[in-house]
Every structure is written in C-alpha cells, then in structure tokens.
Amino acid sequence: MRTQVCIIGGGPSGLLLSQLLHRKGIDSIVLERKTRDYVLGRIRAGILETGFVELMREAGVGERMDRECFIHEGTVIAYGNEEFGISFREHSGRDVVVYGQTELTRDLYDAREAEGGKLVFNVEDVEIHDAGTGSPFVTYRVDGAEQRIDCDFVAGCDGFHGVSRQTIPLTVRREYEKVYPFGWLGILSETPPVHDELIYSWSERGFALCSMRNANLSRYYIQCSLSDSPADWSDAAFWEELKRRIPEAHADVLITGPSIEKSIAPLRSFVTEPMRWGRLFLCGDAAHIVPPTGAKGLNTAASDIHYLYHGLVQFYEERDAEGLDRYSEKALARIWKAERFSWATTNLLHRYPDQSEFDLKMQRAEIEFLRSSDAAQTVFAQNYVGLPY
Ligand code: APR
Ligand code: PHB
C-alpha cells in the first residue's frame, strides 16, 4: 500500500492532521494501536485555545463543538479562603472554549469515517523504516498479518509511549525532563459544576481544581502523593478533601455524587529535540508533555499540527519544503513557552514536600502579586488563552 502521509496514532493529533490533510486532497492513513472505543474511553482535559478551535473549524469538524461548548471569559484563582478572578477577555481580548477531548476526538473519528478516511485499529509492532531517506516506509501487523505502507512522510502522533520518538537515534535526540513529586487524583461526577468557570486553588493541604465537561458533568482534581492509588480514596474521602482545599463559599454549595471515573495522573514536563528527523515529524505527546496545570496538553498538540499541516500543504501544492524544514524550529519555539507556563503555574499552586516556611511565603506573595497586578494578570491571560502560532 502507498500513501502520502502515514500517521501513527489515532488520538487528537493524528486524527486532526489526517482530517486537515484530507480537505486539501492529501492522502493519509492512520495507524492506531487500540480500538476506537478504547481511545474514546480516555478521560482528558477539554480547555481549547482559539488556535485549536480554528483548526477544528478549518477541518470541518467544529459544528458540534460550536453548538455544545462553554465559553469561559476567565478563571478563578483561590488561596486559602481568598479568591480572585482573572478575566482572559479583559487582559487578552480572547476567551477559551470548554469542550471535552473525548467529544472532539469523537467528532474527528466521525468525520474521518464519514469521508472515507483510512483508519487501521489494533495495529501491532509498528516500525518506521528509512525515515532518514526520501523513501520511508512503515511496517506493522494487524490480525496477525504483516503489512507495509510506503509513504512520502511519517507523522509520529503516537503519544509519549509511542514508537516514533524512539525511532530518532539517541545520537540525534536530546531529551529534557522534570518529574514532579506529586500527582493529580481526578474524578468525573454527573453533578453540576460548583462554579461557572474553573477554580484553581492553592491550599495548605495541596492543590485542587474544579472543572467541568458540561452542565451536568463535573471534573475535579486534588494534588495527591505519588504513592497513592485511586483505591485509597473513597468518594466520600475525595469530596471531604476537596472541600477542605477550596474556599468555604464554594465548598458549602458543592454538589457531590458518585464518581463515574477516578484516576491518578503523574505530572511531568518533557521535551524532545528535534521534532523532525528526515521524513519523520513528531507531533503532540510524542514530542512533549506538560503538567496539566496550564491546560496545555491538547493545545500544544494543536500548534504542532498547525505547523506540520501548513508545511505539508506548502510542499505538495508549491513543491516548497520551507515549512517542513522549519517545522521543528517553529514548533519548539512555541512548545517551550507553553512548558514554561505549565511549569510556573504548577510551582505557583502546588505544595512541595520539601517546602520551607520561606518558600510558602514566596508562593503566597506571588499569588497576591498576581491578584494585584494588571501586568501579571495580562501575562497569565495571554499564556492561558494561547500565545500566537
Ligand atoms: N502504534 C500505533 N498507535 C500508537 C502506538 C503505536 N506504537 N503507540 C501509541 N499509539 C496511539 C495511542 O493508543 C493513542 O491513541 O497513539 C495515540 C496517541 O494519542 P495521545 O496520547 O492522546 O496523544 P496526542 O494525539 O498527541 O494528543 C495529546 O492527548 O494525552 C492527551 O494530554 C494529552 O491532551 C493531550 C493530547
Ligand atoms: C480538566 O477539565 O480536565 C482540566 C481543566 C484545566 C486544567 C487541567 C484539566 O488545567
């Protein structure tokens, strides 16, 4: 089999790239290790920057998102029993869209299947060959049969644990990583959100986040020890701890209910350089990971896809490789800024095991400066809604 772009990974990155290319008449095939239902079963964030929203609309899959999403003009920062709002609209002129990653991934799958997209599920032993040459190919097994795809380019959209990044030789690849000494215990509950916008809360007991998916589906997180497991936390214990980490005004009106999903995610900052090797291009979690505090995971995947999509269109329509040649440089320039914001907000709002009293004073001073300074709120807002592509 032959295609123009072989995309490894059927998550948001791979599906969005495939759909965008399709609308430009560029052929691709998506190889996914799991099933569609498994991919859709993953619980992920859903804060979309303007850039992601515009890409979804350009891909022709923005209709349900535009109909069902929430528009958030700002967010709440809480510390102890204090809180203040940061208006994204006032400080950046833009908002963010709240629309679950599960839903946008579903919309992308529906569009690819409706438009005859080539999606192969349950693939095994994917290998990328000759990426450093002008004739790369990909082999894999499905239903026990060995398959081969010859292609012009390979898009590695296979996430942090995928095969693409590992294909780049260690003599070429440089990796940068920070592992945080805590995790996030998250639950999903079929309850109305405690507030109409998100609440990011610093407390003596640890970070908490109040988020949502829709008017009757809430997403809550509390910072937890890496030695915890979800089984250590009953629903009652989770709700009690969450209430102790957010201002009383919200704790008193929090509507609790049974968790329909409960999981712990570790926090990590990670970047690999370069994001291109020959005809192989890394996108999204395959190349970088951010702690979820800044809601950048999906949005950093979006800017990678933006740069790669435009580079591929420029190549096929103008036979000009300039966009592809600059892909890694342009993607990384924006990735590092998102990494900084995610790292900074994580440091601002979490309790570290080895924090001194002085460290706590520094955290509080920085939160209070953020509360009092238009300039600081402008910096926060511009980063949160998304820096320019
Ligand atoms: N072969 C084929 N598919 C693979 C392989 C492989 N060897 N390894 C992983 N995959 C698939 C995974 O099953 C997954 O569906 O690649 C997909 C990668 O999707 P994500 O991990 O969601 O990464 P990405 O598409 O870049 O989206 C980033 O997802 O994880 C969140 O927080 C992250 O919101 C961000 C977004
Ligand atoms: C979520 O709704 O899952 C979410 C929202 C904002 C974040 C992280 C996660 O910063």
Side-chain angles (χ1 to χ4, degrees):
M1 179 185 289
R2 176 163 188 84
T3 186
Q4 289 172 293
V5 184
C6 183
I7 298 172
I8 303 173
S13 293
L15 293 167
L16 180 55
L17 178 62
S18 180
Q19 179 64 11
L20 284 163
L21 293 175
H22 168 71
R23 292 176 70 87
K24 287 288 187 179
I26 299 170
D27 187 62
S28 68
I29 185 168
V30 177
L31 303 179
E32 168 53 50
R33 176 165 64 179
K34 300 293 188 183
T35 63
R36 169 185 164 137
D37 286 346
Y38 184 98
V39 174
L40 292 174
R42 293 185 184 124
I43 303 298
R44 293 284 192 277
I47 303 295
L48 309 184
E49 296 175 353
T50 312
F52 197 111
V53 171
E54 288 168 355
L55 277 175
M56 289 285 284
R57 291 173 182 154
E58 180 171 358
V61 290
E63 190 268 335
R64 185 163 78 103
M65 173 189 68
D66 286 332
R67 189 174 69 247
E68 297 182 6
C69 73
F70 289 163
I71 303 295
H72 281 198
E73 300 179 12
T75 192
V76 170
I77 306 291
Y79 57 115
N81 220 20
E82 305 266 344
E83 68 177 69
F84 60 96
I86 295 180
S87 167
F88 304 141
R89 189 170 290 182
E90 176 189 335
H91 291 290
S92 73
R94 285 179 289 150
D95 307 318
V96 293
V97 161
V98 178
Y99 186 65
Q101 178 171 318
T102 301
E103 300 317 312
L104 71 89
T105 305
R106 189 192 315 281
D107 295 340
L108 286 164
Y109 268 128
D110 290 348
R112 295 307 302 120
E113 288 166 354
E115 298 176 34
K118 294 192 285 285
L119 307 171
V120 185
F121 294 103
N122 294 314
V123 302
E124 297 176 304
D125 302 331
V126 171
E127 277 192 71
I128 301 165
H129 307 268
D130 295 351
T133 74
S135 306
F137 64 98
V138 175
T139 57
Y140 62 97
R141 279 189 316 109
V142 66
D143 301 332
E146 183 81 13
Q147 304 290 337
R148 170 172 167 149
I149 299 175
D150 290 279
C151 51
D152 297 333
F153 301 101
V154 180
C157 301
D158 48 350
F160 186 66
H161 302 290
V163 67
S164 298
R165 185 174 69 253
Q166 309 302 331
T167 301
I168 301 177
L170 279 172
T171 52
V172 173
R173 188 162 35 109
R174 291 179 305 285
E175 297 187 348
Y176 305 85
E177 183 173 48
K178 177 182 181 62
V179 177
Y180 297 85
F182 39 73
W184 278 19
L185 168 63
I187 72 160
L188 207 54
S189 60
E190 289 172 327
T191 54
V194 71
H195 190 57
D196 59 1
E197 291 183 333
L198 271 58
I199 301 173
Y200 288 85
S201 185
W202 177 95
S203 85
E204 293 270 0
R205 302 176 63 86
F207 171 77
L209 172 60
C210 302
S211 184
M212 64 200 71
R213 293 291 178 270
N214 59 49
N216 199 41
L217 191 59
S218 295
R219 182 66 166 163
Y220 295 103
Y221 299 95
I222 57 172
Q223 173 186 343
C224 67
S225 163
L226 285 174
S227 59
D228 281 3
S229 77
D232 297 334
W233 287 85
S234 68
D235 286 1
F238 178 90
W239 292 122
E240 181 188 343
E241 186 61 34
L242 175 66
K243 288 180 179 179
R244 298 175 73 173
R245 298 191 184 186
I246 61 179
E248 288 170 11
H250 299 294
D252 291 347
V253 299
L254 177 70
I255 297 175
T256 66
S259 59
I260 59 172
E261 192 273 348
K262 189 185 292 181
S263 55
I264 291 179
L267 273 65
R268 176 196 315 269
S269 297
F270 176 88
V271 179
T272 195
E273 293 187 350
M275 289 174 54
R276 180 229 181 142
W277 187 58
R279 293 292 181 110
L280 169 62
F281 295 83
L282 304 183
C283 305
D285 277 17
H288 42 75
I289 297 287
V290 285
T293 323
K296 291 300 167 203
L298 198 50
N299 294 301
T300 46
S303 47
D304 293 348
I305 295 306
H306 167 87
Y307 296 127
L308 183 54
Y309 159 60
H310 286 286
L312 288 167
V313 169
Q314 184 181 17
F315 176 83
Y316 283 112
E317 291 186 353
E318 304 167 32
R319 308 312 292 179
D320 179 349
E322 183 263 348
L324 294 177
D325 290 342
R326 292 196 61 209
Y327 168 76
S328 186
E329 165 209 344
K330 290 165 75 173
L332 285 167
R334 191 174 188 272
I335 290 305
W336 279 114
K337 297 185 182 78
E339 291 283 346
R340 184 211 63 82
F341 177 67
S342 304
W343 164 82
T345 46
T346 300
N347 289 342
L348 179 67
L349 295 171
H350 288 73
R351 288 298 316 274
Y352 279 74
D354 57 351
Q355 266 178 315
S356 66
E357 287 305 310
F358 178 81
D359 295 333
L360 287 174
K361 285 289 188 184
M362 289 299 96
Q363 267 186 329
R364 188 164 187 108
E366 190 167 352
I367 292 171
E368 289 181 342
F369 178 68
L370 180 59
R371 178 174 196 167
S372 65
S373 163
D374 271 354
Q377 293 197 11
T378 297
V379 168
F380 184 98
Q382 288 183 345
N383 279 277
Y384 196 95
V385 302
L387 298 178
Y389 283 3

